[in-house]
Amino acid sequence: MITFMVGNHAPVIIYKKGFQEETVSRLPQPEILMLLKRIRLYLISLILMFGTHACTQNNGTGDSKQNRLVHATSPYLIEHADNPVDWYEWGEEALEKAGKENKPLIISIGYASCHWCHVMEEETFMDTAVANYMNTHFVAIKVDREERPDLDEIYLNAAQLINGQGGWPLNAFALPSGKPFYAGTYFTTNQWLELLKNIKNAYQNDFDNIKKQSENLTSEIIKIQLDAGAGESAHLQGKALINTVKDSLLGKLDPQFGGIKGAPKFPMPAQWEFLLQNTYLTQDKNALRATQLTLDNLKNGGIYDALAGGFYRYATDEKWQIPHFEKMLYDNAMLVSLYAHAYQLTGDASYKTVLTESLDWVSKELTDPNGGFYSSVNADSEGEEGKFYVWQYPELETALSPQELNTLVKVYDLKKQGNWEHGKNIIFKKNNPAVLTESESLLLQTAKQKLLGIRNKRVRPSTDDKILTAWNALMLKGFVDAYQATSDRNYLSIALKNAQFLEQKLLSKDHHLSRSYRDGKATGKGFLEDYAYLSQAFLALYQATFDRHWLDLSNALMSEIDQQFLDPTSQFYFFNSKEGKQPLVNSIVLNDQVLPSPNGIVAIVKYRLGEIMYREEYLSQATVLSKKMQTTVSENPSYYSSWAYLASFLEYGVYEVAILGPGAPQIGNEFQKSFLPNAVFAGGTDQTIPLLTDKTSKNKKPTIYVCKDKVCKLPTTEVSKALELLVF
């Protein structure tokens, strides 16, 4: 096992051979460790008993009777509907049963594209002896972490506090109140059954100690998840703070393969978005080189699907060559935006190819007929991870002509003995692929199309077809960003269809969001990330279309964020709405994890809206949050790129661009083909939008006003002249 731990409150990435799931969370403070030592000593003693008890596995299988998960909307939960385990979904029914019968809870958390979740389900939860023991002595709850990221964070932190690591499947044991006293990840059937017996005995015979451990553990989880900033006595401010974040990222850069040094490797788009912004503002060639090095290695590595487009979740090696093969909507959404921005800034045509291929894949394989986007594609098919995507060399020889195969091998690092395990080949480029002639380029495209056709006839991995608001919002913005970069109106059409779907199916008339949609049914209350990411996406869509409707919705969602999520004490925002029943702890998420900080996105969107709508309170709130984060960002700069992005608004300023008159959207698109991270746009003839007030078009031509701090330069009708006015 390899564990990467970087500083207090820094992301933790766990990699274990044969168990390739990542966790991103915060570590406990050093002063907590002594307290937790007592928890570990007592609870791990239960695990140590595995080696002192003989255990036989009952190989019986479950009957055909389905449990209550058959009525769930999550494909991951439905997968467990034929288990003999009497699973509950999270809710009052399960908690009340546990309290009434005084039984501990088993809270088992996973997601549809998780390989080891499937393994444990098939090996263990289908075993009748295991199920009977669970049903007799526990109340078992199954959770889809993608539907309930709030619950996942609580019990993931419990696992990390106890074991120093976490991952999925995540299996926690808790009091009927939900307070955890033990948590782990994957267990074999023998281990699981023995653990159940030990937990049951401890719960019945040593309950006072179990309760004490639970209280201590819960107390530390609350501290971790509510550590909302560190006040305004910052070590660094302004450009010094921004440069510290940049220097930290550059210092951790893998100089050969890009990304952060080490393995496994995750794309972490927020980091490179910040470096692109910094390149634009400062012309720092080191920041640009680091970003391009990363983007080039990402698109050339096995983490990118060279045949169909789209990115896998992460790479298990430092070269980006060996992926974990599941494909997630959110990764592809954020990477499309990143490549669109990189294409705008550099003009590198290969970046345009990546976003085009990736969006083609999303359109074909992750798009619902009504316009929503599905969540993920599994890593597994026919019980093997990656089987759908990899090739034995004889398959390539059979499928392709000698000329096609020779050309393919010139570019991709394919070997007769395989470049991966068991003689299999993953398609990734050589370190220095040959430069192809025009005829060879045509041969390469023919070869790839042939292989894709063969691959499409294989047994496909399953698709998790639930539609999540937050992830759809990221993909909506991805299509908008691609439209701005390429002027391909098909991307705008897809974005509009998705926006209309989200508005009609997941957004109520009073602007309350649901989390998930499947089979015609919206379920679950929206979290802060749902509101924040969708407000951001609607604002991006407004700036692409100048349709006031999307601006109003972005504003409305921001108002709901203030009403439902604001913590008046810290002035940051809770992850769960304050309305209704609260979870064990309502987190305040400040750092960028795999997804960007929802608090950071709220602040960024507020600043942009404040500039367009002249809402001084929004500008003030974003400024206050930025200042409150200065100490935290100074101490752990690598994990707060979103806040550095916002700090760059405050330090360098934001241009307000107003486009008046007929054809404003077309002029807006021409203008926004350029990479302009520190600019906001409004357009049309609606004088009720403050940025457009008292501005008119000249000679009935579209007229551009470039302003800063509400002071405008002389208007122009030429985009090229207007672009020259944006000087930092």
Side-chain angles (χ1 to χ4, degrees):
M1 185 194 311
I2 305 168
T3 306
F4 299 88
M5 301 183 181
V6 190
N8 295 329
H9 298 283
V12 179
I13 296 176
I14 306 300
Y15 171 68
K16 181 174 165 185
K17 187 175 182 182
F19 174 58
Q20 300 174 353
E21 310 301 337
E22 100 285 9
T23 73
V24 184
S25 186
R26 292 173 288 183
L27 287 173
Q29 292 280 7
E31 61 268 21
I32 296 171
L33 296 179
M34 288 303 295
L35 174 64
L36 292 174
K37 185 176 180 181
R38 295 198 301 272
I39 300 175
R40 291 195 184 116
L41 287 174
Y42 176 75
L43 293 172
I44 294 179
S45 68
L46 298 176
I47 308 302
L48 293 177
M49 294 173 66
F50 289 157
T52 61
H53 288 267
C55 177
T56 59
Q57 177 177 349
N58 183 306
N59 291 318
T61 57
D63 58 30
S64 61
K65 182 180 178 182
Q66 292 183 308
N67 59 48
R68 58 180 57 78
L69 295 186
V70 72
H71 302 296
T73 56
S74 159
Y76 175 67
L77 299 190
I78 293 170
E79 177 191 329
H80 294 75
D82 63 347
N83 295 170
V85 177
D86 188 22
W87 292 113
Y88 286 78
E89 291 191 68
W90 180 272
E92 289 303 310
E93 182 182 8
L95 300 181
E96 288 176 1
K97 176 180 173 65
K100 186 181 298 183
E101 299 179 9
N102 191 27
K103 292 179 178 178
L105 297 170
I106 296 173
I107 303 161
S108 183
I109 303 174
Y111 56 103
S113 57
C114 165
H115 171 76
W116 288 95
C117 299
H118 298 307
V119 172
M120 193 165 179
E121 187 264 335
E122 293 169 2
E123 290 180 349
T124 303
F125 298 140
M126 287 298 290
D127 188 295
T128 52
V130 171
N132 290 338
Y133 201 89
M134 290 172 67
N135 297 340
T136 302
H137 300 291
F138 299 86
V139 174
I141 298 174
K142 179 57 69 174
V143 175
D144 182 337
R145 70 177 293 256
E146 297 170 354
E147 288 191 333
R148 293 301 303 264
D150 56 333
L151 298 176
D152 180 60
E153 183 182 22
I154 291 168
Y155 298 108
L156 185 60
N157 276 324
Q160 291 195 123
L161 285 166
I162 293 168
N163 305 306
Q165 68 179 62
W168 300 277
L170 176 62
N171 291 289
F173 293 84
L175 302 180
S177 62
K179 293 182 179 180
F181 57 86
Y182 184 72
T185 53
Y186 169 81
F187 297 90
T188 66
T189 303
N190 286 354
Q191 290 174 332
W192 181 250
L193 188 55
E194 198 67 20
L195 176 61
L196 294 177
K197 293 175 181 178
N198 294 334
I199 293 285
K200 188 267 291 186
N201 291 334
Y203 194 85
Q204 291 180 349
N205 301 319
D206 197 8
F207 181 77
D208 288 343
N209 214 346
I210 286 280
K211 184 177 180 182
K212 183 178 179 181
Q213 312 309 333
S214 176
E215 295 293 340
N216 289 339
L217 186 58
T218 300
S219 174
E220 302 315 319
I221 292 170
I222 291 171
K223 287 180 183 179
I224 291 171
Q225 295 184 206
L226 289 180
D227 185 14
E232 298 182 22
S233 57
H235 301 301
L236 298 168
Q237 301 178 22
K239 288 182 181 177
L241 181 70
I242 294 165
N243 288 336
T244 295
V245 175
K246 175 172 64 177
D247 292 343
S248 176
L249 292 175
L250 296 181
K252 294 179 178 180
L253 179 76
D254 182 328
Q256 185 173 1
F257 303 110
I260 302 302
K261 295 174 186 174
K265 276 188 170 174
F266 299 85
M268 303 297 284
Q271 296 176 335
W272 315 111
E273 287 281 9
F274 161 67
L275 288 183
L276 282 181
Q277 179 203 39
N278 193 264
T279 298
Y280 169 80
L281 294 172
T282 69
Q283 307 304 308
D284 186 334
K285 293 181 180 179
N286 289 328
L288 180 58
R289 276 195 292 265
T291 305
Q292 288 186 289
L293 177 68
T294 301
L295 296 185
D296 290 344
N297 278 281
L298 272 169
K299 69 182 175 64
N300 292 337
I303 193 173
Y304 183 69
D305 184 349
L307 297 185
F311 290 87
Y312 304 111
R313 188 160 170 234
Y314 64 92
T316 63
D317 68 310
E318 64 179 7
K319 299 180 181 180
W320 304 105
Q321 292 177 347
I322 312 302
H324 186 43
F325 285 94
E326 61 197 15
K327 285 184 170 182
M328 311 301 293
L329 178 66
Y330 60 78
D331 286 321
N332 284 280
M334 293 185 293
L335 286 167
V336 162
S337 291
L338 178 60
Y339 276 91
H341 295 151
Y343 172 61
Q344 288 175 306
L345 183 63
T346 67
D348 188 327
S350 70
Y351 295 162
K352 181 180 179 182
T353 298
V354 169
L355 73 88
T356 298
E357 291 177 347
S358 297
L359 290 179
D360 286 348
W361 171 76
V362 170
S363 299
K364 292 173 183 175
E365 296 196 25
L366 281 187
T367 302
D368 182 85
N370 295 314
F373 302 122
Y374 301 143
S375 294
S376 65
V377 176
N378 204 334
D380 297 11
S381 57
E382 300 183 86
E384 289 185 29
E385 182 185 348
K387 184 174 182 179
F388 182 73
Y389 301 103
V390 299
W391 300 84
Q392 300 280 355
Y393 203 86
E395 291 181 285
L396 301 174
E397 292 177 313
T398 301
L400 305 176
S401 70
Q403 296 88 347
E404 291 165 346
L405 181 57
N406 288 338
T407 304
L408 193 73
V409 172
K410 279 187 176 182
V411 176
Y412 295 100
D413 194 8
L414 304 168
K415 296 180 170 64
K416 291 186 177 181
Q417 71 273 23
N419 60 25
W420 190 39
E421 59 187 26
H422 309 305
K424 300 170 186 174
N425 280 286
I426 298 168
I427 299 180
F428 54 79
K429 287 188 176 179
K430 293 180 174 179
N431 290 336
N432 295 296
V435 177
L436 302 182
T437 65
E438 185 176 344
S439 60
E440 286 176 325
S441 295
L442 293 174
L443 280 171
L444 181 66
Q445 292 306 312
T446 301
K448 289 169 67 174
Q449 286 302 313
K450 282 185 177 181
L451 294 181
L452 182 60
I454 293 170
R455 197 178 84 176
N456 286 338
K457 295 177 182 178
R458 295 174 176 174
V459 176
R460 302 183 69 84
S462 60
T463 298
D464 183 340
D465 61 355
K466 68 176 181 292
I467 296 168
L468 296 174
T469 299
W471 299 6
N472 270 248
L474 294 171
M475 194 73 252
L476 166 57
K477 184 175 181 295
F479 272 100
V480 172
D481 290 339
Y483 165 67
Q484 299 287 35
T486 66
S487 300
D488 187 332
R489 293 195 64 83
N490 182 52
Y491 295 152
L492 181 60
S493 297
I494 294 171
L496 285 166
K497 186 174 182 179
N498 178 252
Q500 291 158 2
F501 172 87
L502 294 174
E503 180 184 4
Q504 294 167 8
K505 303 298 184 182
L506 287 146
L507 182 63
S508 69
K509 298 298 183 183
D510 58 358
H511 302 120
H512 284 215
L513 280 172
S514 296
R515 171 67 174 179
S516 182
Y517 182 90
R518 187 173 181 271
D519 285 346
K521 182 180 179 182
T523 56
K525 293 172 62 174
F527 300 104
L528 178 63
E529 66 182 19
D530 296 298
Y531 286 82
Y533 298 167
L534 190 56
S535 180
Q536 175 183 238
F538 282 159
L539 179 58
L541 188 57
Y542 165 72
Q543 293 182 108
T545 62
F546 295 149
D547 182 342
R548 172 69 184 264
H549 177 68
W550 305 115
L551 179 64
D552 289 341
L553 283 182
S554 180
N555 259 311
L557 289 173
M558 202 53 61
S559 296
E560 283 300 314
I561 287 172
D562 283 335
Q563 292 178 31
Q564 292 190 47
F565 298 92
L566 179 64
D567 173 24
T569 302
S570 70
Q571 296 178 278
F572 290 103
Y573 296 90
F574 290 118
F575 190 77
N576 291 69
S577 170
K578 296 179 291 184
E579 299 176 358
K581 186 173 177 62
Q582 296 298 300
L584 188 63
V585 52
N586 198 350
S587 298
I588 294 176
V589 182
L590 300 176
N591 60 334
D592 294 315
Q593 301 180 7
V594 174
L595 296 175
S597 162
N599 271 273
I601 297 300
V602 168
I604 288 170
V605 175
K606 278 201 168 189
Y607 202 93
R608 291 186 185 278
L609 283 172
E611 294 281 19
I612 294 172
M613 302 301 293
Y614 291 178
R615 294 193 64 167
E616 293 299 327
E617 74 277 18
Y618 276 6
L619 295 172
S620 175
Q621 288 164 358
T623 302
V624 167
L625 293 183
S626 181
K627 289 181 177 179
K628 287 175 73 69
M629 285 297 297
Q630 287 172 345
T631 298
T632 300
V633 176
S634 299
E635 292 174 347
N636 262 311
S638 300
Y639 306 107
Y640 295 93
S641 298
S642 293
W643 294 102
Y645 200 100
L646 173 65
S648 299
F649 287 177
L650 303 177
E651 182 62 28
Y652 292 93
V654 171
Y655 280 101
E656 309 127 19
V657 181
I659 304 174
L660 280 295
Q666 289 74 26
I667 297 299
N669 177 239
E670 185 179 347
F671 202 103
Q672 294 175 79
K673 281 182 183 178
S674 300
F675 181 57
L676 303 168
N678 282 42
V680 296
F681 297 85
T685 58
D686 189 344
Q687 292 284 309
T688 65
I689 296 176
L691 182 52
L692 301 182
T693 302
D694 299 327
K695 298 179 179 70
T696 59
S697 59
K698 296 175 61 177
N699 302 321
K700 298 183 180 180
K701 291 183 178 180
T703 303
I704 306 167
Y705 292 78
V706 176
C707 316
K708 199 172 186 182
D709 297 325
K710 302 184 181 65
V711 177
C712 300
K713 300 179 181 182
L714 290 175
T716 178
T717 58
E718 297 180 36
V719 171
S720 59
K721 289 185 177 179
L723 284 169
E724 292 174 359
L725 300 176
L726 276 71
V727 179
F728 288 96

